[in-house]
Each structure stands twice: as C-alpha cells, then as structure tokens.
Amino acid sequence: MCGIIGYTGHRPAQPVVIEGLRRLEYRGYDSSGVAFVEGSSLWRVRAAGKLAALEEKLAGISPFGSLTGIGHTRWATHGAPVERNAHPHFGGLNEPVLAVVHNGIFENYREVKEQLEALGYRFQSDTDTEVAAHLIAEERRHAPDLMTAFASALRKMHGAYALVMISPEEPETIYAARLASPLIVGVGTGEHFVASDVPAFLPYTRDVIFLENGEFVRITPGAHQVFQLDTLQPVDKKVQRINWDMQSAQKGGYRHFMLKEIFEQPGVVTDCLAGRALVAGENPHGGMQPDTVRLPELDSFPVPEHIHVVACGTSYHAGLWARQLFESWARIPVSPEIASEFHYRDVLFRPGDMVLVISQSGETADTLAALRLAKARGCPVIGLCNVVGSSVAREADAVLITQAGPEISVASTKAMCSQMVMFALMALYYAARKDTLSADQRRVQLDVLRGIPAILERILPGLRDTARELSREFSMARSFFYLGRGQAFPLALEGALKLKELSYIHAEGYAAGEMKHGPIALIDPAFPTLVLAFNDALFPKTASNMQEIKARGGPIIALAAEGVNPPADRIWRLPHVPGLLAGLVALPALQLFSYEMADYLGKDVDQPRNLAKSVTVE
Ligand code: M6R
C-alpha cells in the first residue's frame, strides 16, 4: 500500500529518494517523509498531504549531504494521515538511534507498545511503525550488533510488513526485511537501493533481487547480503535483470496516466495475443496445424473440471465476464468469487478443481490470501497477473502474465482489457484440449480477437468525444444505474465502479432483469441509467427493461452496438462485435465516460481520494 525507497551509495541520497518517491506515489499518498544519516546524526523531514508538500518543506532547508537515506509515501492503516504519523519513525529510549519506514500491518503492536512504555519508551505517533522502531532500539540494547537486533525485533512482529531501517551506528548501511509485503533490492555499481516497487530505482539500475518472505537484506554502497530472519544464515540470491521500459511508466503526452492507459489498449490486446494466438501453419514444432492457442504455462496441468475465479475490484469483474466464455466454449463450470469473501469461507475444493487468481498488481492481500488457502488445501492455483516478480506471480503454481505493461493510474483500465483477452485465450485453449469447439469455431473467435486492436484504434478518439459530451450533459447527476444482461452485466458493474471511484458520483451496477425486484423504485427524472445494449439474443429483454425505466421518467443513455435500436434518450454507438467478445469494445467507452466526468468535475483522476493502487492490507 505504501511506497518505500532506500538508497546507499555515492550520490547525494536526497534527490534519489525524492525521485523514487515520486515514482511510487501511486502506492499511497496521504503523507510522506524522508530520513538521512549524516555522520553521527539522523535527520528527518515529513509532511502531510501529497509529495509536493514534502518537497516544499525540503526546499526551505539546505539539502542534506548524506549518501544514505530512506523515504516513504503513506496510505494510512494506523493513525490519521497527519505529519506526526508520517514515516520515517525514530526508535530509541532517550534519543533517536535509528529510523524506519514500513509498509503493512504489525498486528501485535499494542502488546509490544505496552511493554515498551513500561520500559520508558515515549510515543509521538499512533502508528504501529513507531512501535517497530522502538522495538528494534530496545533489542539493540541487549543484542551484540545492529543486525542481530533488527532480526530479533522482526521475529517478534506478527503480521505483514516490508520494513527498512537506517542508523548512525552503521552510517552507510540499510537493513530491510519483508513478510508478505513486497520489497526489492536494486543492485548498482557502488550503490544499492531497496524499494517496494522496481520503478523507484529503474533509472539507476535494472539488476534486482526479489526478497522472499522471512528474508532480510543488509546493503552498503558496495555490497549486499540476504539472510534468513529465523537463523541469520546467509542466503544465496540470484540477481535478475528487469527489461522494463521506464518510458512506458510515464504519461507520454497524455493529461493523465489513466487516459494514456485507456489509449494503450489496442497495443495491449496485440501484446496479449502475440505468441499465444497462432495462425494456421505456424506450428513451432513443425508441421501444419489449424489456428491455435498456445499457453505452455498450462500444458502440464490437467484440464480443470471446475474453476474458482478469485479476485477483487476490477479484476473480479473481469473474472465474472470470463465465466460465460469458459462455460460456453470449454464447458467448464466457473464460480467467480470476491477474494475477501472466498478466503474466509470453508470453501469446498473437489478433485479436478482449479483456482484462478486474477490481480493486476499481484500484491492484493485478499487475493493472495485466497491463493495461499487454495494451495494449502492442495488445489492447483494459476495466477493471472500483470507484474512479473509480484507475489502472485511467484507463489502461484503457474502464472500467465497479462502483458498490459505498468499500470500507474489507480483506476484499473488496460489491465482489465488484458485480463479479458487472456480469459478468451484460456477458454479457447481448453476448448481445444476438450474438443468442445471445432477448429473452425475456434478460428472464428480468434479472428474476432485479432480484429479488436484495429477496431479500438479506430473508435477510441470518437468514444472520447462522445464521453466528453455526455459527461457535460449528465454532470449534475447525483446517482447513476448501470445495467446489462449476460456478458454486458459484468461490464455494467465495472462502469459503475469506475464512475464512483473517479468522479465520486454514486453509481450502481445491476443485472437489468433485477431492476424490477427493488432498484426501480429509485428511478425518477433526476436519476439517469446507462444501459449496455449488445446485439445479442438478450437485447429484446434489455429493451423491455429500458421501457420500464422510461415509463417512470428515468433518462437513459444506451451504449448500443450497431444493429439494435434501444428505446433511449441518448444512443452511444459501438461497432458490433459478434458473440461473447462485445465487451472488449464497450469497456473503453465506460472508462472514458468516467474519465471525462471526473476530469470535468475537477477530480484527481490518477489518484482518487481514499484509494491506493496496490491494496496490500485486508
Ligand atoms: O491489483 P489487483 O487487480 O489485485 O487490484 C484489485 C483492485 O484493487 C482494483 O482492481 C481496484 O478495484 C481498481 N482501483 C479499480 O479501478
């Protein structure tokens, strides 16, 4: 949830840390802070609000000359988002002897705090992090050295954390540990980094070490060593090279990351299909073959008899959309599940089940908990994930990487598009293995998929124009319904989620057929409804639901495929995409409507209030 960076090397640490925080701001942004070791002193500057507030404070003081420092952007889990709760926190009995930044939750902090208070420790904040800082300081009073104290304090902390520490006792050293929250070491020449996310140090190095749960690292400018937290035994870790392009993590001329990411979707579909949707005759093992889907990640697993698709938020909506593809094409029953519910249930796993966890970030706490539950119960887990090296990617039995590229905007857009394409590929892959669709039927669907990038490329600018117009027309609305049937229903849920998270307008997604069972009572001339009207067998039913809304004076926008004539006040045309894949062209329209509405209403599009990109706490 929070963003962490640590640096020790030959450069002044302050600009490196601040730049790193800027690239991590999407992980949390209600307060931020930095700390540096300079000789035998520890310096700290913190500010409530966005990073700009911290920078303003730093501009008023002369830059720190230190070559070792840590920084943090916070998304509050304990204590209000005010300066005294911002990280870094100091630890020490009478004076600060160390500073820490932390991401996650220290579950037993209350008991530990009481013990430390009894020993004379004084607390300035309401945070669990300050307890961790004092705990390490207390351990240091008894341990032979700082490293032993660090490890022994962390062993006393239950919960999930990534924690980074500096101390004037070892002025060029940073200690960092992880348990469940991500932490990555950047290996440079004469310098080392540690961060919650690779982009924080990508301009300096592409060589990284992924810390595993229960490991901690000691970095100095010239060296790194990873240890087991329990035994203090050194661990031999491989340095991996990341081939990410930093430019793709920047706005590329768009006003917002979200807009850039929406417009990247044609390329995202192409990238997801590349090497996976093979045209006839392209058999890499020689010989001729019909159009086929290649997903070698799944080859060694039996075809599942039942799939639990588990995710949160937008990824969950993608999972809901996937159900009909798996059912209709591959004849595999699917249970879409909200991760935060799933992992607390006594789920019945049967032989032949598979759990498919979906997560853009690969770090969502509830999704990871579901993954771990399924693994513990012996059910194979496949991860569908956008971040290489993330926890989902590493912990699942196999992982399919969605190829959406870094998604910076808190509102997930291109990630959902990539997930939908991957589901279509998976369903076709299983349809081939089970022979539930003929080669011709599969080719037809693959042709539809291959046509999507060109359609999106063509329609995106026009969709944006209409979205802008409609957002002006409906900007006074206090509430919205989003309705759909069949494949349009998960899209209706997603459209409503996007509108509320970005523009703070109340919006609810419903299965159109459910309106009569209660929600229609809300309809009046001030309550607009956006209806997804695909050109499929369900359209006549959707049209009747629209008539019912019309009869009660409710304004209707129909996001309607070519070939249908919905009874709506405003018709927003989409090209007709046959079969079950129509959602792929409706999705960007919904995203753009929310984007334009939020922008028009002056909201912070890329960083909506109260939200964070990676939800790493339950
Ligand atoms: O990284 P994940 O896909 O696991 O994230 C799940 C949700 O937190 C995420 O989709 C969230 O709903 C988005 N902010 C929606 O735009």
Side-chain angles (χ1 to χ4, degrees):
M1 198 69 76
C2 306
I4 290 179
I5 168 104
Y7 174 78
T8 183
H10 49 77
R11 306 168 205 260
Q14 184 176 326
V16 178
V17 168
I18 290 291
E19 250 319 292
L21 288 182
R22 180 173 310 295
R23 281 186 292 272
L24 291 177
E25 217 185 351
Y26 62 91
R27 287 184 67 92
Y29 37 79
D30 63 38
S31 57
S32 53
V34 290
F36 304 100
V37 180
E38 215 160 33
S40 57
S41 315
L42 206 47
W43 298 97
R44 170 176 76 175
V45 181
R46 300 176 298 171
K50 291 200 171 185
L51 187 58
L54 177 70
E55 288 182 282
E56 215 172 282
K57 263 190 153 175
L58 284 165
I61 43 184
S62 51
F64 298 100
S66 168
L67 306 180
T68 305
I70 53 178
H72 187 270
T73 59
R74 178 167 186 255
W75 188 86
T77 54
H78 285 93
V82 292
E83 183 178 327
R84 74 190 167 79
N85 284 335
H87 301 211
H89 288 283
F90 285 156
L93 189 53
N94 300 311
E95 53 175 8
V97 295
L98 55 90
V100 305
V101 292
H102 166 227
N103 179 16
I105 292 177
F106 174 5
E107 280 171 0
N108 53 327
Y109 81 103
R110 283 192 188 83
E111 301 127 67
V112 176
K113 188 174 181 177
E114 277 170 23
Q115 293 158 11
L116 290 168
E117 274 170 339
L119 291 169
Y121 285 85
R122 294 287 158 263
F123 288 84
Q124 320 285 324
S125 76
D126 314 318
T127 64
D128 50 347
T129 308
E130 193 183 12
V131 182
H134 283 325
L135 178 61
I136 303 170
E138 174 58 20
E139 292 296 317
R140 178 64 193 105
R141 293 174 40 173
H142 313 287
D145 52 42
L146 196 54
M147 182 170 115
T148 316
F150 180 73
S152 116
L154 286 170
R155 284 198 294 265
K156 294 185 173 165
M157 288 172 57
H158 308 153
Y161 58 77
L163 191 136
V164 179
M165 177 188 82
I166 52 172
S167 167
E169 186 182 340
E170 294 184 32
E172 292 190 333
T173 305
I174 295 180
Y175 288 97
R178 75 159 288 206
L179 189 69
S181 290
L183 205 60
I184 299 131
V185 179
V187 181
T189 308
E191 58 186 349
H192 279 87
F193 306 77
V194 65
S196 47
D197 244 337
V198 171
F201 52 69
L202 206 51
Y204 305 102
T205 182
R206 291 174 174 279
D207 292 331
V208 304
I209 297 169
F210 292 104
L211 285 189
E212 295 299 332
N213 285 336
E215 292 178 347
F216 75 97
V217 68
R218 179 178 190 270
I219 55 172
T220 57
H224 60 260
Q225 179 65 61
V226 177
F227 301 90
Q228 282 294 348
L229 193 61
D230 282 348
T231 60
L232 296 191
Q233 284 304 306
V235 185
D236 216 10
K237 300 288 283 191
K238 219 173 69 206
V239 176
Q240 301 183 33
R241 176 147 284 228
I242 296 283
N243 291 317
W244 290 350
D245 170 8
M246 194 59 188
Q247 256 206 330
S248 64
Q250 291 166 351
K251 284 186 205 163
Y254 289 95
R255 239 167 89 67
H256 296 100
F257 281 114
M258 182 183 176
L259 192 58
K260 170 178 173 272
E261 288 160 8
I262 292 171
F263 275 79
E264 280 172 354
Q265 290 174 110
V268 166
V269 179
T270 307
D271 290 349
C272 287
L273 296 177
R276 289 167 171 157
L278 305 183
V279 287
E282 256 188 25
N283 188 346
H285 308 297
M288 287 297 288
Q289 67 181 14
D291 279 45
T292 187
V293 173
R294 199 176 153 267
L295 293 175
E297 299 90 335
L298 302 178
D299 287 349
S300 60
F301 294 86
V303 176
E305 285 164 31
H306 172 225
I307 306 179
H308 305 264
V309 179
V310 190
C312 300
T314 292
S315 294
Y316 168 72
H317 297 154
L320 209 54
W321 180 85
R323 172 167 55 191
Q324 208 173 327
L325 302 187
F326 283 110
E327 287 179 352
S328 297
W329 293 351
R331 310 301 295 150
I332 300 175
V334 168
S335 314
E337 303 268 8
I338 292 170
S340 55
E341 291 292 318
F342 181 83
H343 73 88
Y344 285 114
R345 287 212 325 266
D346 191 6
V347 180
L348 299 175
F349 293 104
R350 283 164 300 186
D353 278 11
M354 171 191 275
V355 166
L356 178 55
V357 294
I358 322 161
S359 176
Q360 186 286 129
S361 61
E363 301 295 350
T364 299
D366 282 307
T367 309
L368 274 167
L371 177 157
R372 289 171 188 149
L373 168 84
K375 279 188 82 174
R377 302 274 291 277
C379 184
V381 179
I382 306 296
L384 187 61
C385 169
N386 192 38
V387 181
V388 180
S390 65
S391 302
V392 165
R394 284 177 291 122
E395 292 186 34
D397 295 311
V399 65
L400 295 163
I401 297 293
T402 43
Q403 309 292 0
E407 191 178 64
I408 304 295
S409 173
V410 167
S412 187
T413 54
K414 61 178 180 169
M416 179 166 177
C417 170
S418 67
Q419 290 161 351
M420 289 163 73
V421 174
M422 290 304 299
F423 284 133
L425 290 175
M426 282 179 82
L428 291 172
Y429 166 88
Y430 283 128
R433 279 182 67 178
K434 286 183 74 178
D435 209 11
T436 47
L437 291 183
S438 68
D440 267 358
Q441 287 169 314
R442 297 196 310 269
R443 184 187 46 76
V444 168
Q445 300 304 340
L446 279 173
D447 282 347
V448 174
L449 277 173
R450 288 192 192 104
I452 297 290
I455 299 177
L456 289 180
E457 208 64 83
R458 176 167 57 79
I459 64 172
L460 274 168
L463 288 182
R464 187 176 175 200
D465 291 344
T466 314
R468 193 185 290 129
E469 232 174 79
L470 289 170
S471 65
R472 272 49 171 180
E473 199 177 319
F474 288 89
S475 64
M476 300 301 284
R478 303 283 307 275
S479 278
F480 256 91
F481 273 133
Y482 279 68
L483 302 182
R485 279 176 180 264
Q487 284 302 76
F489 167 53
L491 271 295
L493 294 180
E494 175 59 10
L497 173 63
K498 280 288 157 294
L499 191 69
K500 62 190 149 205
E501 78 172 320
L502 290 165
S503 69
Y504 319 146
I505 294 174
H506 167 244
E508 281 188 74
Y510 261 99
E514 275 292 290
M515 278 298 275
K516 283 201 289 285
H517 300 283
I520 201 164
L522 292 171
I523 291 294
D524 68 21
F527 199 131
T529 301
L530 191 149
V531 182
L532 287 114
F534 292 170
N535 187 351
D536 58 19
L538 298 173
F539 175 71
K541 298 284 176 209
T542 308
S544 331
N545 299 134
M546 292 164 87
Q547 293 290 10
E548 288 151 14
I549 294 166
K550 237 176 132 51
R552 281 144 187 97
I556 300 178
I557 304 171
L559 187 56
E562 275 160 18
V564 296
N565 281 310
D569 301 285
R570 299 285 265 110
I571 296 183
W572 187 1
R573 279 291 170 203
L574 290 175
H576 172 56
V577 171
L580 298 178
L581 298 172
L584 283 165
V585 297
L587 179 67
L590 299 168
Q591 296 164 344
L592 284 164
F593 180 61
S594 305
Y595 170 81
E596 289 294 344
M597 185 70 92
D599 195 32
Y600 183 60
L601 295 176
K603 307 300 182 208
D604 190 342
V605 171
D606 281 332
Q607 295 182 340
R609 69 184 182 200
N610 306 338
L611 298 179
K613 184 68 182 161
S614 282
V615 184
T616 54
V617 289
E618 287 179 20

